[in-house]
Amino acid sequence: MSHSVPTKVLVIGYVWPEPRSSAASGHVMQILEAFLEQGWDITFSSPAGPGEHKADLTALGIREVPIELNNSSFDTFISELAPDIVLFDQFMMEEQFGWRVEKHCPDALRILETSDLQSLRHARHQRLKDRLKINDEQTDFTELFAPALHEEFQLMASTDLAKREIAALYRCDLNLMISEVEIDLLVEEFGLPRQILHWCPLMIDLPDTTAPGFEERAHFLSIGNFRHAPNWDAVLWMKTTLWPLIRARLPRAQLHIYGAYTPPKATALHNPAQGFHIMDWAEDALEVMSAARVCLAPLRFGAGIKGKLVDAMLCGTPSVTTPIGAEAMHGDAPWPGAVALDANTFAEQAVQLYEDPARWQQAQIQASALLQQRYQRSVHGPRLINRIDDCRQHLAQLRNDNFTGAMLRHHTLKSTQYMAQWIEAKNQLNPTER
């Protein structure tokens, strides 16, 4: 789509991006880079404070503007900016700011970057908690790992979170989905129109260097932001069940666990005598991943796709995970490592990969093929831009075809608007309570 002036994009972030701390931030950065390649004029705003590992967006030519929740100063800001496209990073930002965007920039294309379906992740977490309450046996979780889409829908449908999240998806003109499984769930079970959903996985450049080989590597590795509940649960499962099983077979093996925002409860698990090392944040995740022989990702719940497992493929590091970890990541291709449904199989597969150079080498080759097949930036970047351009050209028709979205905007946003205005008025009367 050619314009005499650059397309103006406003991104409203739940947090300031920290691509070295989380895959969700990494995905946001990949989307921003696709926009920058078009010469688009980008402003990034967030009501959050800057985190410890915040990316320097200004160095990329992106303006950074802090904003406030429940404050009409945003109305002035967006009216003056007059963006052509507004991207909400996570549905809570659409809830907070969507009605203001619609009121002041009704013709701006509204896009939601979901990262993962939070209501699906939370429902799966609840299912795990319920299972552990009934039976705290820690080895076999087969029943959690292969539910049909309708079972997932039944888990989610009664929750407030799903109602909020699905409503936000309906209210947007386009929703970026990182997982094809989640697209199928939304279309087949929740009835969303497929034309408002776009598959946009992690987008990477293929490595141009040869990954280190089997003999050059040592140790097991696990990595992930400790603030993300599925990662913390995986660390606990490794500590109590999986690592003792692996260590019984490989008495000298070491497990190095890296993650941003390491809490004291994680540091307390550090035990060099058991080969169990809590390593804190990795300055360069790809460097530590490339030095490891096998990546462990024993996720018992979660959603979306897993940045750590794409990193493992990039580094040619075979991984052992669960069906939750591998979900929506490999299509019909073989997994570059192993997918296990229970603790004993997980440990067995981890040991085999660690000790068998031929099997390890085969997994490394499969990783390279999978990256090429599914995750190339050169494929998904242009596809995203084309989809956005098409939505902008047919915006009136797109909105007309999405009557449920229009209805939800009419009703929900009025209530959100009045609640926000009430909070703002209350804050002005009682500034000390803010």
Side-chain angles (χ1 to χ4, degrees), residues 128-138 141 300:
L128 173 64
K129 288 177 187 170
D130 293 345
R131 149 71 168 75
L132 291 172
K133 270 184 210 160
I134 298 164
N135 174 7
D136 64 0
E137 185 271 327
Q138 290 283 331
F141 291 90
R300 296 193 286 189

Side-chain angles (χ1 to χ4, degrees), residues 317-394:
T317 308
S319 58
V320 187
T321 188
T322 63
I324 293 284
E327 181 177 272
M329 290 202 66
H330 61 121
D332 299 326
W335 185 256
V339 179
L341 280 81
D342 64 83
N344 290 316
T345 309
F346 191 100
E348 173 66 30
Q349 295 295 330
V351 170
Q352 277 188 28
L353 274 167
Y354 198 83
E355 293 195 305
D356 183 344
R359 173 140 183 237
W360 189 94
Q361 180 65 35
Q362 182 192 22
Q364 192 176 72
I365 292 165
Q366 289 167 340
S368 178
L370 188 52
L371 286 178
Q372 201 154 354
Q373 190 183 323
R374 286 179 74 86
Y375 296 103
Q376 289 197 67
R377 184 200 302 271
S378 59
V379 172
H380 293 288
R383 197 178 281 172
L384 172 62
I385 299 302
N386 290 341
R387 185 68 183 274
I388 290 172
D389 284 347
D390 186 64
C391 288
R392 290 183 67 197
Q393 285 170 359
H394 304 101

Side-chain angles (χ1 to χ4, degrees), residues 120-128 152 301-303 324 327:
L120 174 61
R121 170 160 40 90
H122 281 261
R124 286 173 167 174
H125 194 183
Q126 190 57 51
R127 180 170 60 195
L128 173 64
E152 301 284 33
F301 69 98
I324 293 284
E327 181 177 272

Side-chain angles (χ1 to χ4, degrees), residues 215-376:
E215 295 295 344
E216 299 166 71
R217 298 170 180 247
H219 310 315
F220 292 90
L221 170 138
S222 188
I223 193 165
N225 188 329
F226 284 106
R227 285 182 178 172
H228 192 53
N231 294 337
W232 173 239
D233 177 73
V235 170
L236 291 177
W237 195 28
M238 283 189 286
K239 178 71 174 178
T240 60
T241 308
L242 300 172
W243 186 243
L245 289 170
I246 293 169
R247 184 86 167 173
R249 296 274 305 277
L250 299 170
R252 299 179 64 182
Q254 306 284 316
L255 171 59
H256 295 168
I257 299 175
Y258 292 88
Y261 300 107
T262 310
K265 64 182 179 180
T267 312
L269 302 179
H270 181 70
N271 190 326
Q274 296 173 351
F276 197 90
H277 300 267
I278 303 292
M279 307 294 286
D280 205 15
W281 185 63
E283 186 73 36
D284 185 336
L286 298 183
E287 187 182 326
V288 295
M289 184 72 83
S290 295
R293 189 175 286 177
V294 175
C295 170
L296 304 180
L299 295 159
R300 296 193 286 189
F301 69 98
I305 63 175
K306 315 303 175 294
K308 60 176 77 60
L309 293 173
V310 171
D311 284 352
M313 294 178 215
L314 271 169
C315 297
T317 308
S319 58
V320 187
T321 188
T322 63
I324 293 284
E327 181 177 272
M329 290 202 66
H330 61 121
D332 299 326
W335 185 256
V339 179
L341 280 81
D342 64 83
N344 290 316
T345 309
F346 191 100
E348 173 66 30
Q349 295 295 330
V351 170
Q352 277 188 28
L353 274 167
Y354 198 83
E355 293 195 305
D356 183 344
R359 173 140 183 237
W360 189 94
Q361 180 65 35
Q362 182 192 22
Q364 192 176 72
I365 292 165
Q366 289 167 340
S368 178
L370 188 52
L371 286 178
Q372 201 154 354
Q373 190 183 323
R374 286 179 74 86
Y375 296 103
Q376 289 197 67

Side-chain angles (χ1 to χ4, degrees), residues 189-218:
E189 297 296 331
F190 287 95
L192 268 82
R194 198 173 280 274
Q195 65 266 28
I196 67 169
L197 305 173
H198 177 75
W199 180 49
C200 182
L202 294 170
M203 302 182 279
I204 54 99
D205 296 315
L206 298 177
D208 52 9
T209 54
T210 306
F214 180 85
E215 295 295 344
E216 299 166 71
R217 298 170 180 247

